Amino acid sequence: MANILLVANLNCDRILRLNKPLKMGGRFHYQDGGQRLGGGGANTGIGLVWAGHDVALVSQVGRDEIGDWLLAEASTLGIDCRLMQRYQQHTCEMLLVMTPDGERTIIRPERPKFELAAPPNWHNWDAFYINSSAEGAVSWAKTALPHSLVVAQLAKDDRTRPCHVLIASRADMQGRSELSPWEYGLSIAGDSLQAFIVTDGASGAVLYQADGEVRVAAEPADVVDTTGAGDAYAAGLIHGLVRGDDYTLAMAEGARWAAFAVATESSIPGEQLKDYLEHATH
């Protein structure tokens, strides 16, 4: 299988389950769902580990008990955390406010500045995934492009993301640009872009390329918790691409992984995905 390097967040999520949908000025009761492992690093990385890949994570956590817990949990689940950075500040929890219909609102603290060190030797990595605002991510991506498959999530702003494959949600695209989707993708990813994939929940996802577009259907699912669905989609997509699938097949695999993700009460992949992958490899 593949060696995959992730630059993504590793979070300590605290779940607050509301008794009714959010409404401006309302009053709500909540149940505290406690702490759980989360963030794009865990949500993407664990499924890739289950699929048989060697996965390393570059992120940062505090030098405190929560930071220790995060590294221990991720390492136990098979993610290589030797490239993780530690900072002196307290590791703050990420608050996930969940409504009865499975939708979530994320309340997160301001993060300390995260600066990447010198890029690694890309000959050792088959794929590189970026889902972080870390400073230095652009230079890492540019040096990786000739050697590794580079996949990136669209940032919350219009910062560049040099990559072969750019992923965004339809919601992230709202009001961004008057360019066509492909031209907008090129403005973010540059001339190396081969595919721009825009996901749209139950409506599936659209693959934009220089010569046209294709829609790939979503996988039906009973939605329990939408947290981590986009991360799971990215993981399934990467898994498909590194095993040699074409883009539409890889997108279908991403949709399958996302369906497993929304059907479990967790942001990290659930046992359904693990069972699927175990049967798929036998």
Side-chain angles (χ1 to χ4, degrees):
M1 286 295 182
N3 294 324
I4 302 172
L5 182 62
L6 313 178
V7 175
N9 295 324
L10 188 63
N11 297 335
C12 177
D13 293 345
R14 179 167 292 278
I15 313 304
L16 305 179
R17 300 189 182 280
L18 301 188
N19 64 325
K20 56 186 178 182
L22 282 170
K23 183 179 179 182
M24 185 69 70
R27 293 176 180 268
F28 307 91
H29 295 290
Y30 72 87
Q31 292 181 335
D32 189 339
Q35 294 178 334
R36 71 184 189 190
L37 186 66
N43 302 342
T44 303
I46 291 169
L48 289 169
V49 168
W50 288 347
H53 304 291
D54 291 324
V55 179
L57 177 61
V58 180
S59 187
Q60 63 172 356
V61 296
R63 198 172 295 279
D64 57 5
E65 290 185 3
I66 294 180
D68 292 343
W69 176 80
L70 286 170
L71 293 180
E73 288 290 302
S75 299
T76 299
L77 289 166
I79 297 175
D80 183 346
C81 293
R82 288 176 293 179
L83 297 175
M84 292 287 295
Q85 297 184 23
R86 306 294 294 267
Y87 54 83
Q88 296 300 325
Q89 301 175 30
H90 178 67
T91 307
C92 295
E93 296 175 334
M94 183 86 70
L95 301 182
L96 274 64
V97 181
M98 308 295 301
T99 54
D101 58 1
E103 291 299 321
R104 85 294 187 243
T105 298
I106 298 175
I107 304 172
R108 70 182 189 184
E110 289 289 337
R111 299 182 186 275
K113 180 185 286 188
F114 179 24
E115 296 184 13
L116 296 174
N121 181 349
W122 293 113
H123 291 94
N124 298 327
W125 301 100
D126 300 297
F128 174 45
Y129 174 65
I130 308 169
N131 186 12
S132 168
S133 58
E135 295 188 15
V138 170
S139 62
W140 275 38
K142 286 181 177 179
T143 58
L145 284 168
H147 310 287
S148 310
L149 169 69
V150 181
V151 180
Q153 289 279 358
L154 181 69
K156 298 303 181 185
D157 53 26
D158 286 329
R159 72 183 65 198
T160 57
R161 283 274 199 259
C163 61
H164 299 113
V165 182
L166 181 65
I167 308 171
S169 70
R170 182 66 62 188
D172 288 340
M173 292 289 291
Q174 295 299 320
R176 282 288 187 110
S177 173
E178 295 182 358
L179 296 171
S180 70
W182 176 248
E183 290 296 327
Y184 177 71
L186 284 174
S187 74
I188 298 296
D191 293 339
S192 59
L193 186 66
Q194 299 172 6
F196 182 26
I197 297 169
V198 179
T199 62
D200 193 14
S203 297
V206 180
L207 167 66
Y208 296 99
Q209 293 181 290
D211 57 356
E213 62 186 68
V214 178
R215 180 173 290 275
V216 177
E219 190 85 7
D222 295 323
V223 178
V224 176
D225 184 343
T226 59
T227 311
D231 298 323
Y233 183 95
L237 176 77
I238 293 167
H239 172 61
L241 292 175
V242 296
R243 72 180 178 185
D245 291 354
D246 64 25
Y247 284 113
T248 56
L249 283 176
M251 290 169 66
E253 186 72 0
R256 194 168 298 118
W257 287 35
F260 287 128
V262 300
T264 185
E265 289 187 353
S266 172
S267 59
I268 62 173
E271 290 298 318
Q272 291 180 350
L273 175 60
K274 190 175 186 180
D275 291 343
Y276 161 73
L277 290 169
E278 288 177 349
H279 286 94
T281 56
H282 290 92

